[in-house]
Amino acid sequence: MSATPSPAAHRPASTQREGFRQAMSWLHTWAGLILGWLLFAIFLTGTLSFFRSEFNLWMRPEMHGLPSATETEGAAEPTAQAAQAARTAQTVQKSVDALVRRAPEVTQWILHLPDERDPAVNLLWRGTGNGRFETLRMHPQTGEPIEARQTMGGDFFYRFHFELRTAQKGRWAIQGRWVVGVATMLMFVALITGVITHRRIFKDFFTFRPNKGGQRAWMDAHNVTGVLVLPFYLMITFSGLMIFHTLYMPAGIATAYKTEKGVDANAYFADLQGEKAESRPRRGPGDPVEPLPAIALQPLIEAASTRWQGGRIGSLQARRDAKGRAVVEITRHDGDRLQYRPPRLLFDATTGQWLDQADATGPAARTYGVLYGLHLARFADAGMRWVLFGFGVLGSLMIATGMVLWSVKRSARSEAKAQAHAQTAASREIHAVPLAVAARAPFGERLVAAINIATLAGLPLACGVYIASNRLIPIGTAGRADVELAWFFGTWGLALLWALACALAREGRAGWSVPLCAAGLVWAALPGINALTTRTHLGVTLPAGEWAWAGMDLSFLATGLLLGWLSWRLRPGRMSRGKVAAHPGPHTASPAPRPAPPQAVAALPGTPGVSTLGA
């Protein structure tokens, strides 16, 4: 008895391939649309996080004038090593002494040394076993605290990027990481299905026709930005998922590290970071911890410098280990290699004896560390950070063009149906409903168009207002950091209200041009606001060659000009020559009008939420 062949067996191979591509196209569209707006916010703030330290510095103008950290030339020479170690030890000891005078009962501190991106000593400390860390910024020469204004600075972009932080001391970090993880997984799916869907992926790499307008222009923009740095998108998305693998995929840890008492997650994290599990403390939030004793840090720093042959020291940490012994952990600078975390040396804080070196050496741990390092890019110098920033901007544009393309396609369909309805009514000599009324898009399409405006144009505006608030809010304001965030989210909310109003009133391109124009004005005004409120303006920083400060002002100005250009290109009533020829006057019912192509219909200036770069 022969088996009956399935219907799929009789289909041509080309038809089966088309069916598979159509399925992937459907998955690509909806995976990108469901959380596309959130992905844009995650990608944009992540892109800004490449200059997190520069934002932190610029948004604390009180730190201007600190001596810049310079690396010693010829670090291989023993005398140079000794001099560098002595300077580092002096900086560390003064800062720790100032901390002890301020908080004698400190039980743990983490000190980050100044480098070429941050001239201050950053000191985190706490006085309980497992409480929140407090932060101090110290002068690298005197060791005294710097009274800088309260702000999250660039840390807000960094924290929002992976946990949707809404306050300086957020309470929903784990929930935010779950949401970001789901969005990242959908983006990874969208990237894979996008590669499968595009049959001419290499041809699309060289095809961009902005003057075509409508769907073609947006499709080309989406294809070019998607294909141009595709390896970067795959790397940044996959590594982002891997960073929090313990949160999303705990089953593997539960299987491999199962003990009689349950899952020993502490042992897993010790292996991942190249440490000994028995040395990691296990304390509850309320467990008492004895204060740290006085520590002579110079011999420890000199020993670490010798072991690393003059390698840079990035941070030091003093704490009590699992046995209650006071230990000092010295960490190498994380810019010295691609793999994250850097190697650490452990010393007895009382005797100064070297105890151990912690460094991940296993294949799996090294792979994880390389992916982590690629995502954070702390190894990158200024030039490489700008390259990665450009890749991030292209990724944001890829998401943005994909979201707008969805609206453009559906608006084109609505317009085509309205035209067909008008033609049918005219041929039957029926008084047709005016096209402007008949072509009104369904509520769902108008809602998507409004959210596109609020996200793609409103978020840059909110970011600019957040930076401007750093200069405009009085320094002594209570909870000043949270007030800055209130300005950010308040502005973003106003942009959403504006977009919804435009979607209901059918204002067309004004919905895009107004928030983009406002964003351009805010960003372009930042150097001027800075000059009126501080002494770190371009008139001071440019002549002095202080590029860490001047570069930020110049970047703000360039961003404002770019946003202003986009607003001008999308201004109401502007149409390209081709579109003017296609639409010589108002639509009227004619006996047999020829249907307009979707590309031309999609570029109508009255289409809600739709605009073309080529128009």
Side-chain angles (χ1 to χ4, degrees):
M1 183 174 181
S2 61
T4 303
S6 64
H10 296 289
R11 288 185 202 152
S14 59
T15 304
Q16 294 181 20
R17 287 195 298 268
E18 286 300 319
F20 177 69
R21 285 198 182 97
Q22 288 175 0
M24 292 298 99
S25 177
W26 179 91
L27 185 57
H28 176 78
T29 299
W30 290 103
L33 178 68
I34 292 173
L35 291 176
W37 302 294
L38 179 60
L39 282 172
F40 177 80
I42 292 170
F43 223 90
L44 182 62
T45 52
T47 300
L48 295 175
S49 297
F50 283 126
F51 290 97
R52 170 190 176 189
S53 297
E54 286 73 16
F55 275 109
N56 283 338
L57 185 63
W58 189 89
M59 296 179 76
R60 294 182 177 90
E62 295 81 8
M63 293 170 60
H64 181 258
L66 294 180
S68 59
T70 56
E71 299 180 33
T72 303
E73 298 293 338
E77 299 178 4
T79 55
Q81 291 183 26
Q84 179 68 18
R87 284 193 295 268
T88 301
Q90 186 179 20
T91 299
V92 172
Q93 196 67 59
K94 287 182 177 180
S95 300
V96 172
D97 291 344
L99 170 65
V100 172
R101 290 194 298 270
R102 185 185 186 105
E105 301 298 312
V106 62
T107 60
Q108 182 181 3
W109 53 259
I110 304 173
L111 186 147
H112 295 277
L113 287 164
D115 57 16
E116 63 276 7
R117 299 181 65 190
D118 190 346
V121 175
N122 291 279
L123 190 57
L124 290 81
W125 64 276
R126 59 186 177 189
T128 59
N130 214 14
R132 282 185 178 271
F133 280 100
E134 301 292 334
T135 304
L136 287 173
R137 286 174 176 80
M138 326 286 278
H139 195 288
Q141 293 180 341
T142 65
E144 294 302 318
I146 301 171
E147 298 299 329
R149 64 189 63 194
Q150 291 185 5
T151 178
M152 282 195 71
D155 291 336
F156 167 64
F157 298 129
Y158 174 70
R159 289 285 175 179
F160 186 87
H161 160 66
F162 70 88
E163 65 184 20
L164 306 180
R165 179 71 67 91
T166 58
Q168 186 178 24
K169 297 181 178 180
R171 298 172 55 189
W172 311 104
I174 299 299
Q175 292 82 353
R177 293 178 185 184
W178 267 106
V179 174
V180 171
V182 172
T184 306
M185 177 57 72
L186 285 178
M187 181 171 180
F188 195 63
V189 170
L191 288 172
I192 299 298
T193 54
V195 172
I196 297 173
T197 301
H198 288 133
R199 291 172 295 180
R200 301 176 299 175
I201 189 169
F202 294 105
K203 183 178 179 180
D204 289 340
F205 181 85
F206 301 100
T207 304
F208 182 42
R209 295 160 285 185
N211 292 328
K212 287 287 185 179
Q215 292 184 38
R216 187 69 266 167
W218 286 111
M219 178 65 78
D220 286 349
H222 185 63
N223 289 338
V224 169
T225 54
V227 175
L228 193 60
V229 285
L230 180 61
F232 171 79
Y233 303 147
L234 293 171
M235 179 277 296
I236 209 73
T237 307
F238 181 71
S239 60
L241 287 171
M242 284 298 298
I243 288 175
F244 295 112
H245 68 281
T246 56
L247 181 65
Y248 310 137
M249 299 180 295
I253 303 172
T255 302
Y257 289 83
K258 187 176 181 180
T259 64
E260 296 178 356
K261 298 181 179 180
V263 179
D264 191 0
N266 203 55
Y268 171 75
F269 286 109
D271 290 344
L272 191 66
Q273 298 176 10
E275 301 174 353
K276 293 180 179 179
E278 58 271 17
S279 66
R280 293 174 62 90
R282 308 182 185 209
R283 301 191 187 97
D287 293 346
V289 183
E290 294 184 15
L292 293 170
I295 305 173
L297 294 167
Q298 183 168 351
L300 309 184
I301 293 173
E302 291 175 351
S305 181
T306 301
R307 283 181 176 272
W308 288 331
Q309 299 180 353
R312 290 187 296 172
I313 295 175
S315 64
L316 296 90
Q317 177 180 179
R319 56 181 171 81
R320 291 193 177 274
D321 61 8
K323 300 177 181 178
R325 176 179 52 183
V327 296
V328 174
E329 183 180 279
I330 301 180
T331 304
R332 192 162 180 172
H333 195 280
D334 53 15
D336 283 356
R337 75 175 185 182
L338 174 60
Q339 181 184 339
Y340 184 84
R341 303 178 55 183
R344 287 94 63 206
L345 295 175
L346 206 63
F347 295 90
D348 189 303
T350 305
T351 64
Q353 179 184 2
W354 176 73
L355 300 176
D356 194 12
Q357 173 167 323
D359 192 13
T361 56
R366 278 193 169 186
T367 302
Y368 172 78
V370 169
L371 287 171
Y372 207 150
L374 284 170
H375 194 92
L376 295 180
R378 293 181 180 175
F379 63 90
D381 58 10
M384 179 57 70
R385 282 197 303 276
W386 276 111
V387 171
L388 294 173
F389 179 84
F391 290 170
V393 171
L394 286 175
S396 302
L397 290 176
M398 176 191 66
I399 299 171
T401 52
M403 301 303 298
V404 175
L405 182 61
W406 189 93
S407 289
V408 168
K409 284 185 175 181
R410 278 144 188 84
S411 296
R413 293 174 187 172
S414 298
E415 293 284 355
K417 289 181 181 178
Q419 291 240 357
H421 176 74
Q423 293 166 16
T424 303
S427 64
R428 298 178 180 178
E429 297 183 353
I430 302 174
H431 180 67
V433 179
L435 182 61
V437 176
R440 189 172 182 81
F443 175 77
E445 291 182 17
R446 286 182 284 135
L447 180 63
V448 170
I451 301 178
N452 278 347
I453 295 172
T455 304
L456 309 183
L459 183 58
L461 173 61
C463 290
V465 169
Y466 166 70
I467 299 171
S469 70
N470 179 261
R471 296 293 193 260
L472 299 176
I473 298 174
I475 295 179
T477 303
R480 191 178 185 280
D482 288 329
V483 175
E484 289 182 357
L485 300 186
W487 281 44
F488 173 85
F489 289 107
T491 302
W492 204 359
L494 290 176
L496 176 60
L497 293 178
W498 163 262
L500 292 173
C502 288
L504 295 175
R506 195 175 170 79
E507 289 292 334
R509 287 191 172 191
W512 287 96
S513 63
V514 170
L516 285 173
C517 179
L521 291 174
V522 170
W523 282 89
L526 286 174
I529 296 173
N530 183 37
L532 294 174
T533 54
T534 70
R535 295 180 58 84
T536 61
H537 52 81
L538 290 172
V540 173
T541 57
L542 267 182
E546 297 173 331
W547 293 108
W549 298 88
M552 296 299 290
D553 279 332
L554 294 175
S555 299
F556 295 157
L557 183 59
T559 302
L561 294 176
L562 176 61
L563 292 170
W565 175 79
L566 287 174
S567 173
W568 178 78
R569 295 285 290 182
L570 301 177
R571 67 189 186 275
R574 184 178 186 275
M575 299 177 67
S576 67
R577 295 177 183 177
K579 303 303 180 293
V580 172
H583 305 282
H587 291 276
T588 57
S590 57
R594 194 169 182 176
Q599 290 87 350
V601 174
L604 287 173
T607 304
V610 176
S611 50
T612 60
L613 293 176

